[in-house]
Each structure stands twice: as structure tokens, then as C-alpha cells.
Amino acid sequence: MHKTLKSKILKSIKDKRINIFFLFLVLSFFILVITKLSATYTNTIMFLLKTEHVPSEEVIVSDKSHKLNITLKSQGFNLIKYYFKTPELAIDFSKNINKTDSLYIWNKSSGYTNLASQFDKNEEIINVTPDTLRFRYDVNAVKKVPVKLHTDIRFNQGYDLLDGFSVKPDSITIIGPHVIVDKINYINTDTLKLKKVKSNINSILNLKLPNTLNELKFSDKQVSLKASVSKFTEGIMKVPVIITNVPDSISVKYFPKKIALTYYTSLSNFNNIKIEDFEVVCDFSKLVKGQSYLHPEVTKIPKSVKNVKINQQQIEFIITE
């Protein structure tokens, strides 16, 4: 027991020595950092620029060259904040800037006062480069463009859309520079992906806005998408064949007089479909010389029907005087 107690005391002394060592190490490092940051340095720092008080009827066209390299003299405490993230400076377009037909021109001599006011008093500006900046501007344009829907929807077997998609809004207004707005003819939506759908669709889709988002304003950034989904079934109906554009000088006898159509419709509409809702026509003027049959075409289809197919592709005929 005596030996155990002795070993614990020795271990405790050693641990305390280690702790004291690390304490002095941390204090030494802290003092070193304070000493370094208290010293005065002269460093060149890149500043990104943001525009302020631009006339509402104009817009500045983005340009990656819009930045200033500023050499500052100050204590390390003041300069260290600029290294955590790229700093920004504001350019005031309501004063100390020249305007031409297509450019705003900022120069160091006239804009220095506004620039210096954005720094602390103990930060001295040694140099600014470049000494001149050119900002291209354009007059705002207003344009309304359609929304282009993108979907990848797979329905459960026997189900389909009842009346198509409803997108609101179906178009959006864009405000921005003519040079950019004129190139935009429509706005795409994100693709809506759904599988085994058998109930109504009600979704919000983001719009794929251009990369020049900072230069443009959009009336909407999302659209709502709705669609009714219903159980569908297949139907077959025999419809009379009509021959059109037959010359007055001849008579045409043809067979069959009726042909079967296969169609796809919702269960709720199935009993409402009538023969009169369809029309099948053979246009005699489209007859190719030497051909002994006509091609039937479906020229009238009810709105509630999809995927109409003609089960017979040829109508035989003979010409009588």
C-alpha cells in the first residue's frame, strides 16, 4: 500500500509539471500572436466592388474586372479581418463619377474621399490600383416570356392525365439590360420526376433562372403545377368513312363504309363518347396515280379522348362513270 501511494504522488507531480509546461507554451504563443498583431504592416488587399445609388432606369452590366487592389498600412489587428473573406467596397453612382453614352467612369482622384470614408481612421491608404474603373451600363428592358415545363412522369398502369397540366403563372416578366433580356425567349422549370402516379398532381417547381441573376429581376422564381389524374380504359367504336374532294365527273364506290377506331379515355367519360364525336375522312385529291386504295385520317376527336388509332389503314375503291 505504501508503494502504491508513493507511485500516485510521483505521477501527480509529473502530471502537474506537464500541465504547467503546456500552460507556459500556450501563454508564450498567445504573447507572440499579440506582439505580431500589434506591429504595423503594409499589405495590398483585393476588394470586390458593389454598386450603390444606380439610377432605377439603368442597370450596371456585371464585369469581373470590377475590383480594386488597395495597399493599406495599419496594425495587424486591423488588417487580419480582411483575410477571413474577400472584402467589399461600395461605389456611389450618385456622386464623384462621370457618365458617357455607355459607360460610368470612376477614377481615384475624384472617388478617393468616398473610398477612404469606408476604412477605419487607423487604416492608412497607401495606394489604389487601378486608378480608373469603367462600368458598362444599359437601359432596363421589360419582357414577358413563357414558362417551359419539364416533366418525367410515369403513371401507374391504367392511369393518365385527365385534362393536361395547369402551370401558374405560365409566363413571367423579366426586367434588365436589353443586351441580356433580348436573348431570353423562355424560362425552363426544374424537371418534375414522379413514378407510379395514380392521384392528382400538385407541386411547386423552381424556375431555372439565368446565371446573370444579379443583373435581372424576375416577377416569379417558382410556378405551381396541377393536373388531374384518373383511371383510364380502352374503347373501340366503328365510325363511318367520308370521301372528300371527289371530282364531279366520276362516282366512287368504296369499302368498308365504316372502320373501327381504338381510343383511350377516362372511366368517367367512357359512357359519354359517341360516334358523332369522331370523323374519319379519305381525301381523294391525295390519291397517287395507280393506287387502288385511299388512306383514312381521323379529322375529329373529342377532347376527352387520347391515343386514337385506326384499325384499318386502307379503304378499297372503284371508280364508276
Side-chain angles (χ1 to χ4, degrees), residues 158-160 232-235 262-266 304-308:
Y159 287 83
D160 207 333
F232 273 64
T233 188
E234 188 176 78
T262 302
Y263 58 90
Y264 198 48
T265 189
S266 66
S304 57
V305 162
K306 294 185 176 186
N307 303 333
V308 178

Side-chain angles (χ1 to χ4, degrees), residues 217-277:
K217 294 181 181 179
F218 302 89
S219 60
D220 297 272
K221 296 182 180 180
Q222 293 179 324
V223 295
S224 65
L225 173 66
K226 293 183 179 181
S228 297
V229 177
S230 181
K231 183 78 173 176
F232 273 64
T233 188
E234 188 176 78
I236 298 177
M237 190 168 288
K238 280 199 167 186
V239 179
V241 177
I242 302 171
I243 308 295
T244 62
N245 296 319
V246 178
D248 294 336
S249 59
I250 63 172
S251 295
V252 175
K253 293 183 177 181
Y254 59 94
F255 179 83
K257 300 292 185 182
K258 293 182 179 181
I259 60 174
L261 299 181
T262 302
Y263 58 90
Y264 198 48
T265 189
S266 66
L267 284 175
S268 59
N269 285 319
F270 185 79
N271 293 328
N272 298 325
I273 305 300
K274 300 176 182 178
I275 293 175
E276 295 79 16
D277 295 330

Side-chain angles (χ1 to χ4, degrees), residues 17-35:
R17 287 178 178 174
I18 292 172
N19 289 338
I20 292 171
F21 171 76
F22 278 111
L23 177 61
F24 275 106
L25 182 64
V26 171
L27 286 173
S28 298
F29 177 76
F30 182 73
I31 293 170
L32 178 64
V33 170
I34 295 296
T35 303

Side-chain angles (χ1 to χ4, degrees), residues 190-205:
D190 285 344
T191 301
L192 177 65
K193 295 184 178 181
L194 297 173
K195 293 182 179 179
K196 296 183 177 180
V197 176
K198 58 180 180 179
S199 59
N200 293 341
I201 298 170
N202 191 348
S203 300
I204 299 295
L205 288 177

Side-chain angles (χ1 to χ4, degrees), residues 62-300:
S62 179
D63 189 336
K64 293 181 180 179
S65 67
H66 293 161
K67 56 189 177 183
L68 288 174
N69 294 307
I70 299 180
T71 303
L72 293 174
K73 182 179 180 181
S74 186
Q75 286 184 319
F77 283 112
N78 298 318
L79 298 178
I80 193 171
K81 62 186 176 185
Y82 297 120
Y83 293 94
F84 289 108
K85 66 175 183 178
T86 305
E88 289 185 333
L89 287 173
I91 300 295
D92 190 343
F93 279 68
S94 65
K95 54 187 177 182
N96 301 324
I97 195 163
N98 299 317
K99 183 181 179 182
T100 68
D101 290 340
S102 60
L103 294 172
Y104 278 100
I105 301 174
W106 177 93
N107 60 69
K108 181 172 63 176
S109 59
S110 60
Y112 181 84
T113 302
N114 177 257
L115 208 64
S117 66
Q118 299 178 59
F119 290 93
D120 294 337
K121 292 181 179 179
N122 49 10
E123 294 174 345
E124 182 184 354
I125 298 177
I126 304 299
N127 190 31
V128 177
T129 57
D131 57 6
T132 302
L133 292 172
R134 292 172 174 82
F135 296 88
R136 189 161 57 94
Y137 72 92
D138 198 356
V139 177
N140 276 332
V142 179
K143 185 178 182 181
K144 194 171 186 178
V145 297
V147 172
K148 193 172 183 179
L149 177 63
H150 290 266
T151 61
D152 181 8
I153 299 176
R154 300 179 185 180
F155 295 92
N156 209 22
Q157 187 173 4
Y159 287 83
D160 207 333
L161 290 178
L162 191 59
D163 298 310
F165 293 107
S166 172
V167 180
K168 292 185 178 179
D170 60 2
S171 59
I172 66 168
T173 301
I174 305 174
I175 302 173
H178 274 287
V179 66
I180 299 175
V181 172
D182 287 348
K183 295 178 181 179
I184 302 174
N185 296 315
Y186 58 85
I187 295 292
N188 291 310
T189 68
D190 285 344
T191 301
L192 177 65
K193 295 184 178 181
L194 297 173
K195 293 182 179 179
K196 296 183 177 180
V197 176
K198 58 180 180 179
S199 59
N200 293 341
I201 298 170
N202 191 348
S203 300
I204 299 295
L205 288 177
N206 291 325
L207 297 176
K208 288 187 175 180
L209 302 178
N211 294 330
T212 51
L213 181 61
N214 293 334
E215 301 169 58
L216 301 174
K217 294 181 181 179
F218 302 89
S219 60
D220 297 272
K221 296 182 180 180
Q222 293 179 324
V223 295
S224 65
L225 173 66
K226 293 183 179 181
S228 297
V229 177
S230 181
K231 183 78 173 176
F232 273 64
T233 188
E234 188 176 78
I236 298 177
M237 190 168 288
K238 280 199 167 186
V239 179
V241 177
I242 302 171
I243 308 295
T244 62
N245 296 319
V246 178
D248 294 336
S249 59
I250 63 172
S251 295
V252 175
K253 293 183 177 181
Y254 59 94
F255 179 83
K257 300 292 185 182
K258 293 182 179 181
I259 60 174
L261 299 181
T262 302
Y263 58 90
Y264 198 48
T265 189
S266 66
L267 284 175
S268 59
N269 285 319
F270 185 79
N271 293 328
N272 298 325
I273 305 300
K274 300 176 182 178
I275 293 175
E276 295 79 16
D277 295 330
F278 298 92
E279 189 174 84
V280 176
V281 172
C282 292
D283 189 346
F284 196 84
S285 66
K286 294 181 179 180
L287 181 66
V288 177
K289 187 176 182 180
Q291 187 172 289
S292 61
Y293 55 85
L294 298 168
H295 288 294
E297 298 177 6
V298 182
T299 57
K300 181 182 176 183

